[in-house]
Amino acid sequence: MFFNYKLTIKKEFFVIGLVSSMMMSIVFIAILSTTIYMLAMSEARRNIRSANLQISIYTEATLEGLIGIAKFLSDDTDVANFSNHSKEIKRNVLNRYRAITNANQNIKYCYSGYTNGELVINDYRPIANYDPRTRPWYTSALKKFPEL
């Protein structure tokens, strides 16, 4: 029925112009949307790469410092051979631990445990018959939360 209807030249130009402009608008919007999407994805990937690099550098630097401190303390004869200790050596070791925790804010506690059951840590007095080799915090946690 529509095809049998004769349009005037003016109406034909209008319909063809309207259809053409709509098709051009759709194509333009599709190209623009695709371009914006690709730019946004590229920016997101760049931001993720940058964040990963920053986290990697920070973690590496933090661990490098901790490894250096661990190597320093393991080479320290007072710390390594503490089982033959005197009060003077213990005070020196505790002062080193305090200096390390004060110098590096990433270290909350610096302590050492020994095969004889001795535990050297600042501001901590173990209870009688305390043996850190049995890891009482671990066994206590297992009793309280066995399903974990």
Side-chain angles (χ1 to χ4, degrees):
M1 190 164 185
F2 180 72
F3 296 109
N4 291 337
Y5 181 71
K6 293 284 185 186
L7 295 174
T8 63
I9 286 188
K10 204 180 209 183
K11 288 183 181 178
E12 253 183 70
F13 273 130
F14 176 75
V15 169
I16 290 173
L18 183 66
V19 170
S20 297
S21 64
M22 290 173 89
M23 287 175 54
M24 284 177 41
S25 296
I26 289 172
V27 169
F28 178 72
I29 289 171
I31 291 172
L32 186 63
S33 297
T34 303
T35 304
I36 290 172
Y37 174 78
M38 297 300 270
L39 287 173
M41 288 300 290
S42 176
E43 181 69 20
R45 284 188 184 99
R46 189 172 32 253
N47 288 341
I48 289 172
R49 261 188 247 111
S50 174
N52 284 344
L53 180 63
Q54 289 174 0
I55 290 170
S56 173
I57 289 170
Y58 175 78
T59 303
E60 211 170 286
T62 301
L63 291 178
E64 202 171 282
L66 296 176
I67 290 168
I69 290 169
K71 285 180 180 178
F72 167 75
L73 289 174
S74 67
D75 289 341
D76 188 330
T77 55
D78 287 346
V79 174
N81 301 320
F82 190 73
S83 55
N84 310 336
H85 66 281
S86 68
K87 289 189 184 240
E88 171 94 14
I89 292 175
K90 183 173 185 175
R91 193 172 336 106
N92 289 341
V93 169
L94 289 172
N95 285 338
R96 282 186 199 107
Y97 290 171
R98 186 173 285 113
I100 287 169
T101 55
N102 289 339
N104 189 335
Q105 298 303 315
N106 292 318
I107 299 175
K108 303 301 178 202
Y109 303 99
C110 188
Y111 62 93
S112 53
Y114 298 91
T115 56
N116 66 357
E118 182 86 28
L119 181 67
V120 179
I121 185 170
N122 276 313
D123 305 324
Y124 179 76
R125 301 283 179 256
I127 58 175
N129 299 324
Y130 176 76
D131 188 0
R133 296 170 296 183
T134 60
R135 298 194 290 174
W137 53 89
Y138 178 74
T139 55
S140 173
L142 280 178
K143 287 178 188 171
K144 286 184 180 179
F145 304 101
E147 67 279 357
L148 292 179

